[in-house]
Amino acid sequence: MNKRRILFVCLGNICRSPMAEYVLRHQAAERGLSHLVETASAGTSGWHDGEGMHRGTRDELKAHGIAADGFSSRKIRREDPAHYDLIIAMDDDNLAELERQFGRRPGKQFKLTDLIPDSGYQAVPDPWYTGNFVETREIISACCRELLDRISDHSL
């Protein structure tokens, strides 16, 4: 199977989307599935271009043994839909901005929480506002496990 190129997207690309990028990469490595995924992340705003991830994100990843090195924030790019197989948003606003810029792409662009519809979460809460990086990581981890399951069984 070809490697699935996945771009996670949030507003500023310093909290949720880099967390998802590194969590999925880590989960794939733990399961011996690194050959199936290539991960990256971006923001819809570009407010933090060139910056590292938020300290809370970095600390939460490290607390769970997830390497958080080599990250630099960036804004989504016009060529992203051609390069990535999946572009996964963290909330409705992110998805709406992706659709505004790239058009509707069902099956290619969707919200991360769409993968676990019975979770009670309609979006990944932004810890920039909530301060709860633990909750954000727990939701992202559950969604990434489901994403990896679907990729490995060829249903996505």
Side-chain angles (χ1 to χ4, degrees):
M1 176 179 197
N2 290 336
K3 189 175 274 200
R4 303 288 285 179
R5 294 171 306 206
I6 303 161
L7 181 68
F8 293 103
V9 177
C10 68
L11 180 62
N13 190 220
I14 60 169
C15 294
R16 296 173 291 172
S17 57
M19 187 179 285
E21 172 186 357
Y22 283 76
V23 164
L24 183 62
R25 191 180 300 162
H26 179 79
Q27 288 180 358
E30 282 189 326
R31 291 170 62 176
L33 300 174
S34 294
H35 63 286
L36 294 181
V37 296
E38 172 187 314
T39 64
S41 63
T44 58
S45 72
W47 293 337
H48 300 283
D49 279 2
E51 294 180 16
M53 65 181 70
H54 188 284
R55 180 185 74 245
T57 295
R58 187 181 61 249
D59 291 350
E60 184 63 18
L61 290 173
K62 286 185 179 184
H64 292 274
I66 301 171
D69 303 326
F71 176 79
S72 181
S73 176
R74 74 165 178 91
K75 186 176 181 180
I76 54 173
R77 300 178 186 132
R78 189 174 5 163
E79 62 271 13
D80 284 340
H83 181 74
Y84 293 99
D85 301 305
L86 301 171
I87 302 177
I88 305 176
M90 297 296 127
D91 62 34
D92 290 320
D93 291 337
N94 305 146
L95 184 58
E97 184 60 23
L98 289 170
E99 290 176 350
R100 188 185 73 72
Q101 290 196 36
F102 305 141
R104 289 197 76 238
R105 297 169 185 259
K108 181 178 180 112
Q109 290 176 175
F110 55 88
K111 289 186 306 181
L112 186 60
T113 52
D114 290 348
L115 295 167
I116 54 169
D118 296 335
S119 69
Y121 287 96
Q122 299 301 309
V124 177
D126 190 343
W128 175 268
Y129 299 105
T130 68
N132 193 341
F133 289 86
V134 173
E135 176 189 40
T136 298
R137 185 200 44 80
E138 288 173 350
I139 296 164
I140 286 172
S141 292
C143 293
C144 285
R145 279 191 299 276
E146 179 63 24
L147 178 60
L148 201 52
D149 287 347
R150 291 186 190 192
I151 289 170
S152 65
D153 74 10
H154 311 292
S155 63
L156 186 63

